[in-house]
Amino acid sequence: MKLTDLRPLVARRRDGALSFDGFRTEPTLAALRWPDDVLEQFLFDHGDNTAFVKAYNTIDLHTITWQLETVPAAHFTGMPTGASDEDCIESYAEIPVHWVTVRPPQIARHRDEHGTWLRPPLLIGRRLLDPDAARLRVLESRTRVGVLRGRRLREHLYVAPQHRARVGRQ
């Protein structure tokens, strides 16, 4: 199953005819056995984003297994995202305070107290896109990763040494 196979479901979501609860229980999605957090951030939120679909439509969704993993903060420093958004992480890193203040206050509180995000970002093994590629790529959560980079490298604010992330691999 590819992202383009989800067009009918995503169209119903876009039209307001399908809530996330309805979306996640659709038989084709339930068969993936993905965590709700991944279904929501990856497919529900971005399943109709043209650039996103173009970047990730080569992946057979059934081949991805998701795990909640601990990733060192240093690994996020140079971690790329897709070509359609390749500069966005750095733009968020330039003014991380702004991106925290435009979010609900509990996000800033959690970041200040724990040095990490409230909701784990989504990362994928780059081998899903290129068999010769290693390491991870930011799939969703470019703002969160940009804020982490900006706090760590530009503002020298407290950043936890490790962060939880949902990682998808083949």
Side-chain angles (χ1 to χ4, degrees):
M1 177 172 52
K2 308 282 184 179
L3 284 172
T4 50
D5 297 328
L6 301 176
R7 282 186 177 141
L9 285 176
V10 174
R12 287 176 43 215
R13 187 267 307 155
R14 185 178 43 247
D15 294 341
L18 189 61
S19 67
F20 176 68
D21 283 335
F23 184 83
R24 71 180 183 81
T25 59
E26 284 287 329
T28 55
L29 297 177
L32 291 174
R33 297 178 165 236
W34 287 6
D36 283 350
D37 209 28
V38 175
L39 286 173
E40 184 178 14
Q41 291 183 74
F42 184 5
L43 304 179
F44 189 75
D45 292 348
H46 295 288
D48 60 351
N49 177 311
T50 304
F52 202 81
V53 171
K54 183 179 177 183
Y56 300 107
N57 197 51
T58 59
I59 300 172
D60 179 352
L61 302 178
H62 288 289
T63 66
I64 304 174
T65 301
W66 293 94
Q67 298 292 325
L68 189 59
E69 297 182 12
T70 301
V71 180
H75 288 195
F76 288 98
T77 300
M79 192 179 293
T81 190
S84 65
D85 288 327
E86 67 183 319
D87 295 329
C88 75
I89 291 175
E90 283 309 310
S91 69
Y92 297 131
E94 288 175 10
I95 50 171
V97 171
H98 167 74
W99 296 106
V100 171
T101 59
V102 298
R103 301 290 192 260
Q106 65 267 25
I107 293 174
R109 272 194 307 277
H110 186 85
R111 192 174 295 275
D112 289 343
E113 291 172 12
H114 302 282
T116 192
W117 30 67
L118 188 58
R119 187 177 192 189
L122 304 183
L123 312 175
I124 60 168
R126 294 191 326 200
R127 284 200 170 107
L128 284 165
L129 299 161
D130 177 358
D132 296 326
R135 300 198 181 185
L136 299 173
R137 174 180 185 169
V138 178
L139 176 67
E140 172 43 25
S141 313
R142 294 169 299 275
T143 306
R144 283 171 263 177
V145 172
V147 168
L148 177 125
R149 283 186 195 174
R151 287 178 61 93
R152 184 170 186 261
L153 301 173
R154 285 189 175 82
E155 296 181 349
H156 307 290
L157 296 171
Y158 173 66
V159 171
Q162 299 183 18
H163 305 271
R164 303 291 279 165
R166 295 228 180 248
V167 179
R169 291 192 173 88
Q170 205 161 20

